[in-house]
Amino acid sequence: MQSNTNNLGECQQQRATIQIDGIPVCVTYKRMKNVILRIDTKDKVVRVSAPFGCHHDLIVEIVRKHKEKIKSRFSKRAVFDISEPDLSEGGLIPFLGQLFRLHIEHIEYTTARNVSINHEDRTITLFVCSNDSKRELFHILTQWYFKNFRNILIPIIDKYAAKVGRKANTYGIKIVNGYWGICRNRAKSIIFNLKLIAMPSEVIELIVLHEHVHLKHFNHGKDFKAEMTRLMPDWKHREDELKSYQRYFI
């Protein structure tokens, strides 16, 4: 157990990492009244803040009470985050807010590597060579995501750039953590997170509009919000939908 104390000698904290039914739990003891539990889906750990003197059994009881919710949240991140896809036969692959079963079909020639999607039976088929590694499968799927996301973005960008009356000089797509889109006003450039490909189209539209409005209004002040409401009256509802996904991605 480690003890961390600030320079004033106040608000001393002690930390301990334990396992509860196979779930990693990081406990921070500090001056507080109640026990607070937070599920960290990124690092797949449960973070518990507890008052000094809190009994170990109480922490175990609280974690076990939320055990099913914790495991569900951990698995959902693994399912929806395209940077950590399940590339085994029958694995779940996200695309535009839906989950597709992965089918792997082996081919003879590397030039025939490809990806196809069937919306009727909710399957995505990877055409790969039998000796292709998981890394190669990931690369093939990611390139397919990039190609589809570019095709999806082009008409949405044209639509909302026209509505806002502003267009970036350059657009880019990256797999990143920390943001869904970013507008660099000096360079007049906008970058979109490829992870958006896992979300419904209305959420993608929200981010596209959001970043274009930033070409006019740099912060999230009243002018920014008024412009968002004028151009997308239900943007707050879409933002709530975004938040329901957000904890699984960033």
Side-chain angles (χ1 to χ4, degrees), residues 104-110 113 126-134 136-137 140:
I104 298 174
E105 189 162 321
H106 291 129
I107 55 175
E108 187 174 352
Y109 302 105
T110 58
R113 288 189 181 113
L126 276 180
F127 296 91
V128 296
C129 298
S130 58
N131 61 345
D132 280 344
S133 65
K134 290 286 186 181
E136 286 168 316
L137 267 60
I140 293 166

Side-chain angles (χ1 to χ4, degrees), residues 171-174 179-184 189-193:
Y171 295 91
I173 301 170
K174 294 182 179 179
Y179 61 83
W180 296 115
I182 187 167
C183 174
R184 297 189 172 96
S189 69
I190 296 176
I191 303 292
F192 295 104
N193 192 340

Side-chain angles (χ1 to χ4, degrees), residues 97-115:
Q98 297 180 334
L99 293 174
F100 292 74
R101 288 286 177 187
L102 179 65
H103 173 60
I104 298 174
E105 189 162 321
H106 291 129
I107 55 175
E108 187 174 352
Y109 302 105
T110 58
T111 53
R113 288 189 181 113
N114 201 1
V115 182

Side-chain angles (χ1 to χ4, degrees), residues 116-128:
S116 71
I117 185 167
N118 187 318
H119 290 275
E120 289 185 7
D121 62 7
R122 294 277 188 89
T123 59
I124 287 177
T125 302
L126 276 180
F127 296 91
V128 296

Side-chain angles (χ1 to χ4, degrees), residues 26 82 157:
C26 180
I82 68 165
I157 287 172

Side-chain angles (χ1 to χ4, degrees), residues 169-215:
N169 292 332
T170 60
Y171 295 91
I173 301 170
K174 294 182 179 179
I175 298 180
V176 293
N177 292 323
Y179 61 83
W180 296 115
I182 187 167
C183 174
R184 297 189 172 96
N185 280 284
R186 284 190 177 183
K188 294 270 191 292
S189 69
I190 296 176
I191 303 292
F192 295 104
N193 192 340
L194 181 62
K195 293 182 181 183
L196 282 168
I197 194 70
M199 298 196 185
S201 57
E202 57 266 24
V203 173
I204 297 174
E205 287 191 347
L206 168 70
I207 300 300
V208 171
L209 175 61
H210 183 113
E211 300 310 325
H212 280 85
V213 172
H214 273 315
L215 292 171

